[in-house]
């Protein structure tokens, strides 16, 4: 990889008017601030339903957040039209971070708590089922502060080896098969993760990352933010930042949750 930086990094925030729960927009703020602090030029653009004139191939880095079932259904219909277009940028190894509902839509299928099945994009080799509490109409949600050991290999040395965040989801996400090219993002230390059973949180394929961690994720995990930026820029290092406060906050959060 080359150390030289592109003239401008183009970031696409997908469906922010539909999928933006629990402070998910903070992930965009973290990415753009860390670029600004380094003096790196970028352009941020929102892409929503029907804006098919904005080609995914023109962007370097993508983010999609979480939403309610009805919002996911609306987004899923639009993404179905752009399925091959989004798959192409993932195969070209452009980074995408998807949180909660966005994560579920990247899988093969998502079954709502009303037993309606939403077809996913099949980029991540996972499927999701929303669960109801027994003998009620209420969703059985997995809600917790999360600490997890990061399994995604970083392309730089970092003092931080964990992820911290907040989860609140009724969906149980499972890997379709053990020998898949889709791998777990992290191993649960505290919290529920994908399904509360297998001990894993999130998933990744190439540079496409799915996770249930809100809160927002990237301000609490600056090493993951930098990894996304590095992969988007296709370089092997970034100008250094003083992350003393971010690292201290991350460690304090771990101490309060374990």
């Amino acid at each position: 990889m080359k150390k030289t930086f592109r003239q401008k990094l183009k970031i696409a925030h997908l469906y922010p008017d539909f999928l933006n729960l629990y402070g998910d927009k903070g992930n965009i703020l973290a990415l753009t601030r860390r670029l600004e602090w380094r003096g790196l030029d970028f352009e941020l653009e929102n892409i929503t339903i029907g804006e098919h004139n904005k080609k995914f191939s023109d962007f370097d880095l993508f983010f999609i957040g979480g939403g309610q079932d009805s919002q996911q259904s609306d987004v899923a219909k639009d993404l179905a039209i752009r399925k091959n277009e989004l798959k192409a940028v993932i195969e070209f190894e452009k980074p995408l971070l998807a949180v909660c509902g966005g994560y579920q839509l990247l899988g093969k299928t998502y079954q709502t708590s009303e037993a309606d099945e939403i077809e996913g994009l099949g980029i991540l080799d996972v499927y999701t089922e929303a669960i109801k509490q027994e003998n009620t109409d209420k969703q059985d949600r997995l809600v917790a502060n999360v600490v997890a050991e990061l399994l995604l290999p970083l392309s730089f040395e970092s003092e931080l080896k964990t992820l911290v965040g907040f989860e609140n989801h009724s969906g149980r996400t499972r890997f379709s098969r053990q020998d898949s090219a889709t791998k777990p993002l992290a191993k649960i230390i505290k919290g529920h993760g994908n399904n509360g059973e297998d001990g894993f949180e999130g998933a990744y394929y190439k540079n496409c990352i799915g996770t249930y961690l809100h809160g927002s994720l990237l301000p609490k995990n600056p090493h993951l933010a930098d990894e996304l930026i590095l992969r988007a820029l296709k370089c092997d290092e970034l100008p250094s930042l003083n992350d003393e406060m971010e690292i201290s906050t991350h460690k304090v959060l771990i101490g309060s949750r374990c």
Side-chain angles (χ1 to χ4, degrees):
M1 290 190 293
K2 298 178 180 179
K3 292 184 180 180
T4 54
F5 300 117
R6 292 188 180 190
Q7 187 173 4
K8 181 180 291 186
L9 185 67
K10 297 190 68 174
I11 303 171
H13 188 175
L14 304 182
Y15 310 102
D17 47 344
F18 286 83
L19 304 178
N20 186 28
L21 287 179
Y22 309 121
D24 284 342
K25 187 178 179 180
N27 294 300
I28 289 291
L29 293 175
L31 288 169
T32 55
R33 290 296 182 272
R34 294 184 74 78
L35 288 164
E36 287 175 354
W37 293 337
R38 290 182 165 104
L40 300 177
D41 196 13
F42 68 89
E43 179 181 321
L44 172 63
E45 192 160 353
N46 296 335
I47 301 178
T48 191
I49 289 175
E51 295 186 328
H52 301 168
N53 60 311
K54 299 179 180 180
K55 301 301 182 185
F56 291 156
S57 57
D58 291 336
F59 294 87
D60 307 299
L61 176 59
F62 302 83
F63 173 72
I64 182 170
Q68 303 295 333
D69 286 351
S70 60
Q71 296 166 324
Q72 284 182 234
S73 179
D74 291 337
V75 169
K77 293 173 185 176
D78 193 72
L79 278 175
I81 300 171
R82 311 193 69 172
K83 179 177 181 178
N84 292 336
E85 187 183 357
L86 189 60
K87 279 188 170 183
V89 299
I90 298 303
E91 290 300 325
F92 196 65
E93 301 191 349
K94 293 188 177 185
L96 182 152
L97 175 63
V99 175
C100 200
Y103 171 29
Q104 294 166 349
L105 288 174
L106 293 180
K108 292 184 172 181
T109 58
Y110 171 65
Q111 183 175 293
T112 72
S113 57
E114 301 301 323
D116 297 321
E117 187 167 277
I118 299 173
E119 184 176 354
L121 300 177
I123 292 172
L124 296 176
D125 195 8
V126 300
Y127 65 95
T128 302
E129 297 173 314
I131 306 298
K132 278 188 175 181
Q133 295 177 3
E134 289 188 18
N135 303 317
T136 74
D137 290 328
K138 296 181 179 180
Q139 293 180 333
D140 186 9
R141 305 191 70 82
L142 300 178
V143 184
N145 288 314
V146 175
V147 178
E149 175 192 353
L150 183 63
L151 300 178
L152 174 77
L154 295 179
S155 51
F156 62 99
E157 287 297 322
S158 174
E159 184 177 343
L160 301 179
K161 311 294 182 185
T162 48
L163 293 179
V164 293
F166 169 74
E167 62 179 344
N168 183 350
H169 54 102
S170 64
R172 269 59 165 180
T173 297
R174 293 179 170 82
F175 292 90
S176 301
R177 50 198 176 92
Q178 291 184 343
D179 61 345
S180 172
T182 299
K183 304 298 181 185
L185 174 65
K187 184 177 181 180
I188 287 292
I189 298 171
K190 177 73 173 181
H192 303 288
N194 285 332
N195 51 58
E197 298 171 5
D198 64 14
F200 293 120
E201 200 309 295
Y204 72 94
Y205 167 71
K206 295 194 173 185
N207 293 334
C208 177
I209 296 171
T211 178
Y212 276 114
L213 298 186
H214 295 283
S216 299
L217 174 65
L218 296 184
K220 296 176 181 177
N221 300 278
H223 50 314
L224 184 58
D226 282 355
E227 184 65 24
L228 289 166
I229 293 170
L230 269 170
R231 295 186 183 203
L233 288 170
K234 299 185 183 300
C235 63
D236 56 8
E237 64 180 19
L238 293 172
S240 62
L241 291 178
N242 182 352
D243 277 338
E244 183 177 343
M245 181 180 294
E246 287 83 353
I247 292 171
S248 176
T249 300
H250 183 99
K251 292 180 177 180
V252 168
L253 288 170
I254 290 176
S256 68
R257 295 172 183 186
C258 292

